[in-house]
């Protein structure tokens, strides 16, 4: 897990169960001191962070992240598909062609989103818990809007 794109550590369940730990971390988002939370899917077999042959470059490209505040955040998924790095905004079902009429502020920058792409910490917890339990995916009931990062 990574907070504010800077501090990384393994997600642990020794203090509280994984789901509760995720909810706690997402609940800390205040878009001031704590503005982002990210989980990278790194299997135990990869040997994070210091096993011989471990390559951060490979695993750091696969993550689910939230930015904003506990009351109003966007969630994004990034992974490699068909040899290409792809980045999506996660949302509840909606017409992906509809205008982006909302914004989520992340660390002082407004990110345009669809109303169905705005989450609170409770619903985002479901996404993150599924992500760690299902090898880097979000539940099928959500839609992904591809972002062009070029």
């Amino acid at each position: 897990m990574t907070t504010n794109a800077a501090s990384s550590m393994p997600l642990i369940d020794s203090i509280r169960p994984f789901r509760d730990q995720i909810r706690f971390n997402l609940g800390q988002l205040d878009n001031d001191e704590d503005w982002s939370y990210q989980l990278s899917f790194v299997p135990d077999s990869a040997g994070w962070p210091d096993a011989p042959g471990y390559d951060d470059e490979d695993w750091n490209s696969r993550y689910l992240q939230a930015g904003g505040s506990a009351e109003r955040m966007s969630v994004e998924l990034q992974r490699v598909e068909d040899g290409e790095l792809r980045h999506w905004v996660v949302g509840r079902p909606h017409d992906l062609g509809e205008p982006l009429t909302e914004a989520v502020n992340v660390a002082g920058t407004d990110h345009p989103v669809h109303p169905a792409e705005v989450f609170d910490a409770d619903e985002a917890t479901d996404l993150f818990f599924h992500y760690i339990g299902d090898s880097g995916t979000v539940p099928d009931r959500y839609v992904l809007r591809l972002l062009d990062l070029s």
Side-chain angles (χ1 to χ4, degrees):
M1 72 177 213
T2 304
T3 55
N4 294 344
S7 176
S8 295
M9 66 179 62
L11 180 66
I12 56 171
D13 64 351
S14 59
I15 298 170
R16 54 181 70 92
F18 286 130
R19 181 183 200 79
D20 294 345
Q21 184 64 34
I22 292 167
R23 175 56 181 90
F24 174 81
N25 287 315
L26 289 169
Q28 296 300 300
L29 295 181
D30 60 7
N31 204 26
D32 184 25
E33 289 184 31
D34 295 309
W35 46 269
S36 75
Y37 178 72
Q38 175 180 309
L39 284 179
S40 298
F41 181 75
V42 182
D44 291 338
S45 61
W48 185 89
D50 55 6
Y54 176 77
D55 183 7
D56 248 352
E57 192 79 20
D58 182 35
W59 295 107
N60 284 348
S61 64
R62 307 165 195 212
Y63 59 79
L64 187 66
Q65 70 181 4
S69 69
E71 298 79 28
R72 187 173 177 79
M73 66 181 71
S74 61
V75 177
E76 298 174 355
L77 173 70
Q78 181 170 290
R79 65 181 177 218
V80 176
E81 273 191 5
D82 301 323
E84 291 185 39
L85 188 62
R86 298 211 172 122
H87 195 97
W88 295 273
V89 176
V90 179
R92 289 174 225 82
H94 66 283
D95 180 350
L96 295 173
E98 289 178 0
L100 306 178
T101 58
E102 298 281 330
V104 171
N105 188 280
V106 180
T109 301
D110 283 337
H111 295 264
V113 294
H114 186 276
E117 298 170 343
V118 178
F119 294 93
D120 65 16
D122 290 330
E123 189 173 7
T125 296
D126 293 338
L127 292 168
F128 279 82
F129 190 68
H130 180 92
Y131 180 81
I132 66 166
D134 199 26
S135 303
T137 66
V138 296
D140 290 340
R141 68 182 175 273
Y142 292 92
V143 297
L144 301 175
R145 178 172 54 87
L146 184 63
L147 290 178
D148 181 4
L149 300 178
S150 58

